[in-house]
Amino acid sequence: MSRSYIFVPLVLFVLVSCLPAKAQYVNVMPYPQKVDLQDKHYFIAKDFTIALSGDYRPRLAAQATRFLRRLDEQTGLFFQQFQVDGSGYKEANLKIRVEKKGEVLPDMKEAYELTIDDGGLHIIADTDIGAIRALETLLQLVEVREGRYAFPYVQIQDAPRFSWRGLMLDVARHFMPLEVIYRNLDAMAALKLNVLHLHLSDDQGFRIATETYPELTELGSDGLFYTKAELQKIINYAAERGIRVVPEIDVPGHATAILVSHPELGSADTTYQIQRYAGIFDPTLDPTNEAVYEFLENLFEEVAAIFPDPYFHIGGDENMGRHWDANEKIQAFMQARGIDTNHELQTYFNIRIEKILADQNKITMGWEEIMTPDMPKSALIHSWRGAWEGVTPKASLYAAARSGYDAILSNGYYLDLMMTAEEHYLMDPAPASVDLDDEARSHILGGEMCMWSELVTEHTIDSRLWPRGAAIAERLWSAEEVNDVDEMYRRLSIVNQYLERLHLKHVSEPKRILRQLAAGHDPKPLETLLEVVEPMKGYTRNPGGTMYASYSPFTLWADAATADARVARVFNEQVEAFLKGEALHESLKTQLITWEANHDQVVPIIEDSPVLKQISNLSANLSEAAKSGRVALEAIVAQRELPAEWVARARKQLVEARANGGRTELQMLEGVERLLDQVDYRRSAQD
Amino acid sequence: MSRSYIFVPLVLFVLVSCLPAKAQYVNVMPYPQKVDLQDKHYFIAKDFTIALSGDYRPRLAAQATRFLRRLDEQTGLFFQQFQVDGSGYKEANLKIRVEKKGEVLPDMKEAYELTIDDGGLHIIADTDIGAIRALETLLQLVEVREGRYAFPYVQIQDAPRFSWRGLMLDVARHFMPLEVIYRNLDAMAALKLNVLHLHLSDDQGFRIATETYPELTELGSDGLFYTKAELQKIINYAAERGIRVVPEIDVPGHATAILVSHPELGSADTTYQIQRYAGIFDPTLDPTNEAVYEFLENLFEEVAAIFPDPYFHIGGDENMGRHWDANEKIQAFMQARGIDTNHELQTYFNIRIEKILADQNKITMGWEEIMTPDMPKSALIHSWRGAWEGVTPKASLYAAARSGYDAILSNGYYLDLMMTAEEHYLMDPAPASVDLDDEARSHILGGEMCMWSELVTEHTIDSRLWPRGAAIAERLWSAEEVNDVDEMYRRLSIVNQYLERLHLKHVSEPKRILRQLAAGHDPKPLETLLEVVEPMKGYTRNPGGTMYASYSPFTLWADAATADARVARVFNEQVEAFLKGEALHESLKTQLITWEANHDQVVPIIEDSPVLKQISNLSANLSEAAKSGRVALEAIVAQRELPAEWVARARKQLVEARANGGRTELQMLEGVERLLDQVDYRRSAQD
């Protein structure tokens, strides 16, 4: 081996800067369909004005004013204009023309054209919703040129690839106050998402106050629920941003919170308590009890009236049917009607529910389990199962589409599983390569990212949603061909910072937790460690669902950690690049030395902060692994051999370092392992 | 001069650590009346339980459960008990006994005794409110001993010095959403404050929706207001924490927002717009118009019914009467009734308002201008004017008390003026040294800190309130003799960190603003500069009230800056100590070198972030002044002379460095000046 190494000192871990975009890319996410960029700029001045024409009242006027305030905040220019109206169209810097008011309903019209040139800024859209999407693009285009804020000259034609681009929030397992919903609707709008799906009931809580059954929240919510007026506020706030809101009441399983006040509707002769743990539980509505249908008809009628959206999500997932098996009356019912399996019984239930909703002019949607032969083709199938559940990802999505059901995808978009943005990004609901005829393809409406809240609170949820959610938002809006992972990560870092403008807590809350854990010490050494760990993935952090209860503290080490540890990812990539000959030795060494020295700085913090004892090994493992990496790196550079026994010991330590600490896992071990591989490879090549 | 210098390298700017308290102090704020501390500890374990006895339902049960969750978060112990009730009293680790339910009304009973010894933890209080105060003390007592969380053995007897310890929030000039109120009520409870005064109307907005006059918020609030249900939630949330809520509707001046929908009640024949700037404006209700009294009677009746507190604040301040002078009808009215001055006319108005409120069983309170001979002695006088207004501080407070009015103090407690915690801390409402007889002294009920919101938003308000508000809270709760400023600052740093547990944004929001301003760069150099500046003080930041409008961006440099720059204060103190012979030379030099080098790191950030251009000189000034300080320091240590011309130039630069930059001012110049003084002193001594 005879590579030569040039020792150019590099700063490996620069923060993302507001540098100009790569030549061919603008810094916009999700990426527009067609971008024609020029190397000229339109400078933003204090007298910047906006004027509107067409049918823009009141939504576009309000959102354009909001745009003006956000641009003012971004530039600090103290604009003279403080409220947008239709006057002064010809003289305005930004002219927006819309044809008609858009309906915030399925298939809303979101296309727009944005032109920036000598004539100023122009937005043209069929509906005000398209113009609102254009304003979000525009804000992301702000650059600095010649010491001033500017927009690049550009021509953009844009429209979404999929019409259903959603975020499901589980507000049942941990309740989310209004301001959490608001700021995340702002984030959704920034990323051109258009459906907020609220999972309003589950074993851990029932979150809508109703007049028909006030006892549902009185007994089943710990006092944490939305009033109708509050839901109305959420719906209005969303509609202002061109976002639909779809409610979900999960039945017949996941229904413990309902049964707390209505045990007579359950399948077991017992009483129920609000569930404090996570998992799949037995309490289930009794599908053989007519009172259940009467109850749901009344309940759905009241809930359905709150939400203008035509869709109503009935859940329908994960019912094990154990209470059905144990109930003689239910068994007798099944026998009498020739219902052989629990699955068929649930089908019987679903079909009846579908009819109730159809009578209320609602389209039923449900998790993929509702797709049974008798389910009308008008229902929408929500595909969620995949590798974790032992089935082929997207199998139900394609089966549904081929059978003539509309369908959306959530498998691959579960943000609570703590997977990387890359994994989410590369999950395409309907790639061209999949064998689907035009008809079937047209049934795939899009997808929804899911934020189940067993392990998140109102404070930590943002850091689980963002920035990874932006990668999914791009997958659902942009063309299939927009799939360059490096470029996605480049823009994702910019979006990550951009989203903080909206007062999301995805950056600040992890830092706040670290400050508390640091117990008065400088949190820097903790941050160095945190940057290279990720929370345990999938369902492994909370074994059996009982390590944490809903009231447990979620302000611990793992709650500060986020998925997709950028520093570790960059390190691993740089090791690969170094091994291919890139001159990265000095910066890798600097990084490894920092990690090697870190544990000694963490130890005194742990002494003053016993809650951190659980990361003691994790921290030691980082330093040990970094030391191995540093020694291997130096040997590679010096073209010096290392004894096989040393490498074996180092590998053994790496294996031990894979154990979790504080419910998180080190993510930079792969890079160290590559360095050890290289040491072994050199030795065997010389043997 | 022959001092000798020992060069012990010290880290000058350590973060506050959770170190044991000074021998004689516990880390509690406000400081309890009587503390008997032992050097033994009670360790907290996973099976920690609480039991209650006496009349504790439901408030104390809820608050004790909240205490348990907070302690769980602080220790990460995952307590087995998750909800507190009255069972298991004998076996519980923490036993709480109360005699009766306290009333959240003036003169509420807040005393408590807290004992921690071999027998466990005991709280004894007359009312549940006293026990709730004790729980806050207890949480602040948590320490780390032998690697475990523990409470010190201690005996505390505590009760407030003043019964009225308030926070006035101006929700009119910038509206504050519910979550802002909630988290600040949590902070108030932690600091044993007991009155939230809501300034609900002003020229810039009317913030209560009423059924009688819905047009007040429809036209006068920009859609930002509280519904009755929301105010009820605030009142309940406060009452749960033993905090009263007092409403203020400011009349007859500060009434523009009312006049937007009711111009017929104004003193000028005109129409009105919501005021977007800050200042004292002319629009005023017409005291000669009977319709005004009818309107206020109806309005107050509806507002008064929402708030259970017996007090109702009518404002009554800062009415210049220009519209009265200009109105012939009003002039004729005055002449007919022998009313000679505008002040007398306002008195006429106030007396009538007082009667309206008395009929509604409310006690009138108002800013000190309402204290006129005819005002009944039942009214409460709110003393606010002082040096900024050209009058003697507390003059109206003592005048009121001596005349037999109850009175509270706010002069000296205006947090929006950006004064230091020390200044607020040393403002005692009724020091023993003041000549007041027992009767007069008994009329001084306490005080209220005021947070006027011309220049704060829902996001920045926390960093203006805290931690300085804790110093005022201590002044109002603790004994007059608890007035050691250094000790206050020691505990204030701990409280500053403690308050972040409550999800206040006083630490995180300034950092968020810096990250945005840094435009992708590492914000560290900006932070180094920010740490030694404070926003312009008093009313100087916003000259004429027109530099900022209510819709201006408050996410700029000055909004990230906070009052009472700790790093600068410590530097100035250390210079003094060094000049008295303490071995601080090396650490001072390190600090000065950091500042000297900082500007070169700030420059490239400003280039990418034009909004920061306004701090270019400020940053250069810090580095220049630090260089002067470093040269002077080295000369002093080397016992070397510096030319008089050099010192003169350095002093000139210091004068220039006092100019503001980005609406902030450097606070470490004093230390540098002392070093220059010393250089001059040495030269003149040798001459």
Side-chain angles (χ1 to χ4, degrees):
Chain A
M1 191 184 159
S2 63
R3 280 185 199 136
S4 66
Y5 294 93
I6 307 161
F7 299 114
V8 184
L10 289 174
V11 179
L12 182 57
F13 301 106
V14 293
L15 284 171
V16 183
S17 169
C18 60
L19 297 171
K22 280 192 193 177
Q24 68 274 37
Y25 284 101
V26 288
N27 291 335
V28 175
M29 203 161 190
Y31 207 78
Q33 302 298 341
K34 192 163 175 300
V35 179
D36 191 358
L37 190 64
Q38 291 181 55
D39 191 19
K40 288 183 72 178
H41 285 81
Y42 189 92
F43 292 98
I44 309 167
K46 198 178 167 62
D47 60 1
F48 185 87
T49 56
I50 305 176
L52 315 177
S53 83
D55 189 2
Y56 63 81
R57 280 196 182 81
R59 183 167 51 205
L60 182 56
Q63 290 304 307
T65 295
R66 183 170 161 255
F67 166 89
L68 197 67
R69 295 275 69 78
R70 290 162 74 194
L71 186 64
D72 206 356
E73 197 170 295
Q74 216 161 322
T75 60
L77 284 170
F78 286 77
F79 294 137
Q80 284 152 7
Q81 184 190 25
F82 84 94
Q83 208 162 0
V84 168
D85 61 27
S87 64
Y89 193 78
K90 277 192 184 157
E91 301 74 29
N93 301 74
L94 167 58
K95 302 178 183 69
I96 307 178
R97 202 180 72 221
V98 297
E99 293 303 318
K100 59 175 183 285
K101 195 165 154 56
E103 300 287 343
V104 184
L105 288 172
D107 290 315
M108 63 180 87
K109 302 287 170 261
E110 304 175 278
Y112 66 90
E113 281 185 40
L114 166 62
T115 310
I116 305 173
D117 58 22
D118 289 340
L121 291 72
H122 278 86
I123 290 171
I124 297 173
D126 189 37
T127 73
D128 59 336
I129 298 173
I132 287 168
R133 302 285 178 260
L135 288 171
E136 295 292 348
T137 300
L138 195 49
L139 269 181
Q140 292 190 32
L141 284 172
V142 175
E143 290 186 8
V144 172
R145 291 286 156 155
E146 301 163 29
R148 295 167 62 192
Y149 293 99
F151 294 109
Y153 277 28
V154 74
Q155 206 168 359
I156 290 177
Q157 288 181 316
D158 203 8
R161 178 177 168 210
F162 292 106
S163 66
W164 191 302
R165 305 179 308 282
L167 163 61
M168 188 226 68
L169 284 186
D170 172 6
V171 297
R173 292 190 174 85
H174 275 102
F175 181 69
M176 300 293 152
L178 257 65
E179 73 268 18
V180 177
I181 309 285
Y182 290 157
R183 68 181 183 242
N184 281 294
L185 281 167
D186 287 346
M188 289 177 69
L191 296 162
K192 302 187 174 71
L193 292 163
N194 68 358
V195 182
L196 173 66
H197 162 183
L198 291 176
H199 182 78
L200 288 160
S201 76
D202 214 304
D203 300 303
Q204 294 82 356
F206 190 90
R207 308 297 183 192
I208 315 184
T210 63
E211 282 153 38
T212 323
Y213 302 109
E215 63 277 13
L216 286 170
T217 43
E218 281 164 9
L219 300 177
S221 78
D222 298 304
L224 299 168
F225 58 84
Y226 306 111
T227 63
K228 268 190 213 186
E230 288 169 336
L231 285 170
Q232 197 56 57
K233 279 183 165 190
I234 290 172
I235 292 163
N236 289 344
Y237 195 95
E240 282 283 295
R241 287 149 182 79
I243 297 173
R244 301 159 46 206
V245 184
V246 173
E248 176 184 353
I249 305 286
D250 203 346
V251 287
H254 288 274
T256 310
I258 293 173
L259 296 173
V260 173
S261 58
H262 285 273
E264 77 282 2
L265 303 178
S267 301
D269 185 16
T270 182
T271 59
Y272 302 83
Q273 302 295 320
I274 293 177
Q275 183 55 247
R276 305 292 173 187
Y277 294 100
I280 305 171
F281 301 99
D282 294 334
T284 308
L285 300 180
D286 179 355
T288 72
N289 182 351
E290 281 305 309
V292 165
Y293 300 102
E294 197 184 317
F295 168 83
L296 291 176
E297 184 168 2
N298 295 336
L299 177 64
F300 286 2
E301 187 171 11
E302 193 174 339
V303 173
I306 303 171
F307 293 86
D309 206 79
Y311 286 90
F312 194 108
H313 204 303
I314 60 162
D317 57 320
E318 296 184 324
N319 172 34
M320 299 309 204
R322 284 202 200 92
H323 283 193
W324 294 349
D325 295 341
N327 183 320
E328 283 175 25
K329 204 182 112 268
I330 292 174
Q331 293 304 314
F333 178 94
M334 289 170 71
Q335 209 156 10
R337 308 223 172 185
I339 296 173
D340 292 333
T341 66
N342 285 336
H343 190 65
E344 280 176 43
L345 182 60
Q346 183 154 345
T347 299
Y348 167 84
F349 173 85
N350 287 338
I351 303 296
R352 290 200 55 178
I353 297 302
E354 195 276 340
K355 286 209 178 67
I356 289 172
L357 284 170
D359 286 348
Q360 296 173 4
N361 289 315
K362 293 287 178 181
I363 306 169
T364 294
M365 69 183 282
W367 302 103
E368 62 185 67
E369 288 95 323
I370 71 160
M371 183 169 59
T372 49
D374 295 334
M375 179 58 70
K377 292 290 188 280
S378 59
L380 188 144
I381 308 303
H382 195 162
S383 171
W384 72 277
R385 289 187 298 184
W388 283 99
E389 293 75 27
V391 305
T392 309
K394 299 195 276 189
S396 62
L397 182 78
Y398 297 148
R402 287 179 183 126
S403 312
Y405 291 100
D406 281 348
I408 60 170
L409 179 65
S410 277
N411 181 263
Y413 303 147
Y414 272 34
L415 291 167
D416 56 313
L417 299 187
M418 295 293 163
M419 315 308 280
T420 63
E422 174 174 0
E423 286 167 277
H424 296 308
Y425 192 60
L426 296 180
M427 175 60 95
D428 194 304
S433 60
V434 169
D435 180 31
L436 289 166
D437 63 22
D438 287 354
E439 166 72 14
R441 208 166 269 280
S442 73
H443 282 300
I444 298 176
L445 304 186
E448 281 186 3
M449 60 190 90
C450 290
M451 187 67 246
W452 301 104
S453 66
E454 286 91 342
L455 300 182
V456 301
T457 68
E458 56 180 294
H459 301 293
T460 58
I461 190 169
D462 296 358
S463 76
R464 276 74 184 106
L465 284 167
W466 317 109
R468 291 178 304 149
I472 300 171
E474 176 155 300
R475 176 54 48 237
L476 296 173
W477 176 282
S478 307
E480 183 184 353
E481 296 71 31
V482 177
N483 59 7
D484 177 333
V485 172
D486 290 343
E487 166 58 21
M488 178 276 287
Y489 272 123
R490 187 188 69 79
R491 281 177 294 121
L492 196 68
S493 288
I494 295 167
V495 160
N496 187 48
Q497 185 169 334
Y498 180 78
L499 289 173
E500 259 213 296
R501 291 204 176 278
L502 301 170
H503 297 281
L504 294 164
K505 294 178 154 194
H506 59 302
V507 177
S508 63
E509 176 64 7
K511 289 180 189 293
R512 188 195 72 85
I513 294 175
L514 273 204
R515 280 193 293 273
Q516 293 299 326
L517 294 174
H521 290 266
D522 183 344
K524 187 79 190 87
L526 296 182
E527 208 161 344
T528 298
L529 178 58
L530 191 74
E531 279 172 354
V532 296
V533 304
E534 294 174 6
M536 294 174 74
K537 293 183 190 304
Y539 301 102
T540 60
R541 182 180 164 192
N542 188 17
T546 56
M547 176 173 264
Y548 300 87
S550 48
Y551 52 82
S552 295
F554 289 96
T555 49
L556 304 177
W557 176 256
D559 304 299
T562 55
D564 217 355
R566 191 181 60 83
V567 171
R569 176 168 49 76
V570 171
F571 171 77
N572 293 336
E573 286 170 8
Q574 301 256 13
V575 168
E576 295 294 345
F578 160 74
L579 293 175
K580 285 183 184 138
E582 278 190 51
L584 292 162
H585 156 259
E586 284 292 343
S587 54
L588 285 173
K589 188 172 160 185
T590 303
Q591 178 64 80
L592 288 163
I593 288 173
T594 302
W595 289 337
E596 197 176 337
N598 198 60
H599 184 54
D600 285 348
Q601 297 172 57
V602 169
V603 168
I605 302 179
I606 296 177
E607 271 165 25
D608 286 337
S609 185
V611 64
L612 282 176
K613 276 180 189 165
Q614 53 178 312
I615 66 159
S616 184
N617 284 343
L618 185 82
S619 172
N621 285 338
L622 170 64
S623 291
E624 277 293 302
K627 185 179 174 187
S628 301
R630 196 253 308 154
V631 171
L633 178 73
E634 286 171 346
I636 295 166
V637 173
Q639 307 197 19
R640 186 162 40 77
E641 262 190 49
L642 286 170
E645 305 76 52
W646 181 89
V647 177
R649 267 203 315 279
R651 284 191 193 279
K652 188 155 168 279
Q653 192 269 326
L654 282 194
V655 171
E656 284 160 14
R658 289 194 192 283
N660 91 80
R663 314 309 288 161
T664 65
E665 291 164 345
L666 288 170
Q667 298 298 318
M668 37 50 74
L669 300 175
E670 190 187 313
V672 174
E673 203 162 11
R674 289 293 82 71
L675 293 171
L676 298 181
D677 290 348
Q678 179 67 17
V679 168
D680 275 346
Y681 168 78
R682 279 173 42 81
R683 187 178 337 87
S684 62
Q686 297 211 339
D687 283 346
Chain B
M1 190 182 158
S2 63
R3 281 187 198 133
S4 66
Y5 294 93
I6 307 160
F7 298 113
V8 183
L10 289 175
V11 179
L12 182 57
F13 300 106
V14 292
L15 285 172
V16 183
S17 169
C18 59
L19 296 172
K22 280 192 194 178
Q24 67 273 41
Y25 285 101
V26 288
N27 290 334
V28 175
M29 205 165 187
Y31 207 77
Q33 302 299 342
K34 191 162 176 301
V35 178
D36 192 356
L37 190 65
Q38 290 181 55
D39 192 21
K40 288 183 73 177
H41 286 81
Y42 189 93
F43 292 98
I44 309 166
K46 199 178 167 60
D47 60 1
F48 185 86
T49 55
I50 305 177
L52 315 178
S53 83
D55 190 1
Y56 62 80
R57 280 197 182 81
R59 184 167 49 206
L60 183 57
Q63 290 304 307
T65 296
R66 184 170 160 254
F67 165 89
L68 196 68
R69 296 275 70 77
R70 290 162 74 195
L71 186 64
D72 206 357
E73 197 170 295
Q74 215 161 324
T75 60
L77 283 170
F78 287 77
F79 293 137
Q80 283 152 7
Q81 185 189 25
F82 82 93
Q83 209 161 359
V84 169
D85 62 29
S87 63
Y89 193 77
K90 277 193 184 155
E91 301 75 28
N93 302 75
L94 167 57
K95 303 177 182 68
I96 307 177
R97 201 182 71 221
V98 297
E99 293 305 317
K100 58 174 183 282
K101 196 166 152 56
E103 299 288 341
V104 184
L105 288 172
D107 290 315
M108 61 180 88
K109 302 288 170 260
E110 303 174 280
Y112 66 90
E113 280 184 41
L114 166 63
T115 309
I116 306 173
D117 58 23
D118 289 339
L121 291 73
H122 278 86
I123 291 171
I124 297 173
D126 189 38
T127 73
D128 59 337
I129 299 173
I132 288 167
R133 301 285 178 260
L135 289 171
E136 294 292 349
T137 300
L138 194 50
L139 270 181
Q140 292 189 32
L141 284 172
V142 175
E143 291 186 7
V144 172
R145 292 285 156 155
E146 302 163 30
R148 295 168 64 193
Y149 293 100
F151 294 109
Y153 276 28
V154 72
Q155 206 169 359
I156 290 177
Q157 288 181 314
D158 204 8
R161 177 176 168 211
F162 292 106
S163 66
W164 191 301
R165 305 179 309 282
L167 164 61
M168 189 225 68
L169 283 185
D170 172 7
V171 297
R173 292 189 174 86
H174 276 102
F175 181 69
M176 299 294 151
L178 256 66
E179 72 268 20
V180 177
I181 309 286
Y182 290 156
R183 68 181 183 242
N184 281 294
L185 281 166
D186 286 346
M188 289 176 69
L191 296 162
K192 303 187 174 71
L193 292 163
N194 68 358
V195 182
L196 174 66
H197 162 182
L198 291 175
H199 182 79
L200 288 160
S201 76
D202 213 304
D203 301 304
Q204 294 83 355
F206 190 89
R207 308 296 182 195
I208 314 185
T210 62
E211 281 153 38
T212 323
Y213 302 109
E215 62 276 12
L216 286 171
T217 43
E218 281 165 10
L219 300 177
S221 77
D222 298 304
L224 300 169
F225 58 85
Y226 306 110
T227 62
K228 268 190 213 186
E230 287 169 336
L231 286 170
Q232 198 54 58
K233 280 182 166 191
I234 290 173
I235 293 163
N236 290 344
Y237 196 94
E240 281 283 295
R241 286 150 182 78
I243 298 173
R244 301 159 46 204
V245 185
V246 173
E248 175 184 353
I249 306 287
D250 204 346
V251 287
H254 289 275
T256 310
I258 293 173
L259 297 172
V260 172
S261 59
H262 285 274
E264 76 282 2
L265 302 179
S267 301
D269 185 15
T270 182
T271 59
Y272 301 83
Q273 303 294 318
I274 293 176
Q275 183 53 249
R276 305 293 174 187
Y277 293 100
I280 304 171
F281 302 99
D282 295 333
T284 308
L285 300 179
D286 178 355
T288 72
N289 182 351
E290 281 304 310
V292 165
Y293 301 101
E294 196 184 318
F295 168 83
L296 290 178
E297 184 169 1
N298 294 335
L299 177 65
F300 286 2
E301 187 172 10
E302 193 174 339
V303 173
I306 303 170
F307 293 86
D309 207 78
Y311 286 90
F312 194 108
H313 203 303
I314 61 162
D317 56 319
E318 295 184 324
N319 171 35
M320 299 311 205
R322 286 203 200 91
H323 282 192
W324 293 350
D325 296 340
N327 183 320
E328 283 176 24
K329 203 181 112 271
I330 292 174
Q331 292 303 315
F333 178 93
M334 289 171 70
Q335 211 156 8
R337 307 222 173 186
I339 295 174
D340 292 332
T341 65
N342 285 336
H343 190 63
E344 280 177 43
L345 181 59
Q346 184 154 345
T347 299
Y348 167 83
F349 173 85
N350 286 339
I351 302 297
R352 292 201 53 177
I353 297 301
E354 194 277 340
K355 287 209 178 64
I356 289 172
L357 284 170
D359 286 349
Q360 296 173 4
N361 290 314
K362 293 287 179 181
I363 306 169
T364 294
M365 69 183 282
W367 303 102
E368 62 184 66
E369 289 95 324
I370 72 160
M371 183 169 57
T372 50
D374 294 336
M375 178 58 69
K377 292 291 188 279
S378 60
L380 187 145
I381 307 303
H382 196 161
S383 172
W384 71 278
R385 289 187 299 185
W388 282 99
E389 293 74 28
V391 305
T392 309
K394 300 194 276 190
S396 62
L397 181 77
Y398 297 148
R402 287 178 184 128
S403 311
Y405 291 101
D406 281 348
I408 61 170
L409 179 66
S410 277
N411 182 263
Y413 302 146
Y414 272 34
L415 292 167
D416 55 313
L417 300 186
M418 295 293 162
M419 315 307 281
T420 63
E422 175 175 0
E423 287 167 277
H424 297 308
Y425 191 58
L426 296 180
M427 174 61 95
D428 194 305
S433 60
V434 169
D435 179 30
L436 289 167
D437 62 23
D438 287 354
E439 166 73 13
R441 209 166 267 280
S442 74
H443 282 301
I444 298 177
L445 304 186
E448 282 187 3
M449 61 190 91
C450 290
M451 187 67 247
W452 301 104
S453 66
E454 287 91 342
L455 301 182
V456 301
T457 66
E458 57 181 294
H459 302 294
T460 57
I461 190 169
D462 296 357
S463 76
R464 277 72 185 109
L465 283 168
W466 316 109
R468 291 179 303 150
I472 300 172
E474 176 155 300
R475 175 55 46 237
L476 295 174
W477 176 283
S478 306
E480 183 185 353
E481 296 71 30
V482 177
N483 59 8
D484 177 332
V485 171
D486 289 343
E487 166 58 21
M488 179 275 288
Y489 273 123
R490 186 189 70 78
R491 280 176 295 121
L492 197 68
S493 287
I494 295 167
V495 160
N496 187 47
Q497 184 169 334
Y498 180 79
L499 289 173
E500 259 214 296
R501 291 205 177 275
L502 301 169
H503 296 282
L504 294 164
K505 294 178 155 197
H506 60 301
V507 177
S508 62
E509 176 65 7
K511 289 180 189 292
R512 188 195 71 87
I513 294 175
L514 273 204
R515 280 193 293 274
Q516 293 298 325
L517 294 175
H521 290 266
D522 183 344
K524 187 80 191 84
L526 296 181
E527 209 162 341
T528 298
L529 177 58
L530 191 74
E531 279 172 355
V532 295
V533 304
E534 293 174 8
M536 294 173 75
K537 292 182 189 306
Y539 300 103
T540 60
R541 182 180 164 191
N542 188 17
T546 56
M547 176 173 262
Y548 300 85
S550 48
Y551 51 82
S552 295
F554 289 97
T555 49
L556 304 176
W557 177 257
D559 303 299
T562 55
D564 217 354
R566 190 182 60 83
V567 172
R569 176 168 49 78
V570 172
F571 171 77
N572 292 335
E573 286 171 9
Q574 301 256 13
V575 168
E576 295 294 346
F578 160 74
L579 293 175
K580 285 183 184 139
E582 278 191 48
L584 293 162
H585 158 259
E586 285 292 342
S587 56
L588 285 173
K589 188 172 160 186
T590 304
Q591 178 63 81
L592 288 163
I593 286 172
T594 302
W595 288 338
E596 196 176 339
N598 198 58
H599 185 53
D600 284 348
Q601 296 171 58
V602 169
V603 168
I605 302 179
I606 296 177
E607 272 166 23
D608 286 337
S609 185
V611 65
L612 282 177
K613 276 181 189 166
Q614 53 178 314
I615 65 158
S616 185
N617 285 343
L618 184 82
S619 172
N621 285 338
L622 170 65
S623 290
E624 278 292 303
K627 185 179 173 186
S628 301
R630 196 253 309 154
V631 171
L633 178 73
E634 286 171 347
I636 294 166
V637 173
Q639 307 196 20
R640 187 162 40 77
E641 261 190 52
L642 285 170
E645 305 76 51
W646 181 89
V647 177
R649 268 203 315 278
R651 284 192 192 280
K652 187 154 170 280
Q653 193 269 327
L654 282 195
V655 171
E656 286 160 13
R658 290 195 190 282
N660 91 81
R663 315 308 288 162
T664 64
E665 291 164 345
L666 288 170
Q667 299 297 320
M668 37 50 74
L669 300 175
E670 190 188 314
V672 175
E673 205 162 7
R674 289 291 83 72
L675 293 171
L676 297 181
D677 290 349
Q678 179 67 16
V679 168
D680 275 347
Y681 168 78
R682 279 174 41 81
R683 189 180 335 88
S684 63
Q686 299 211 338
D687 283 349

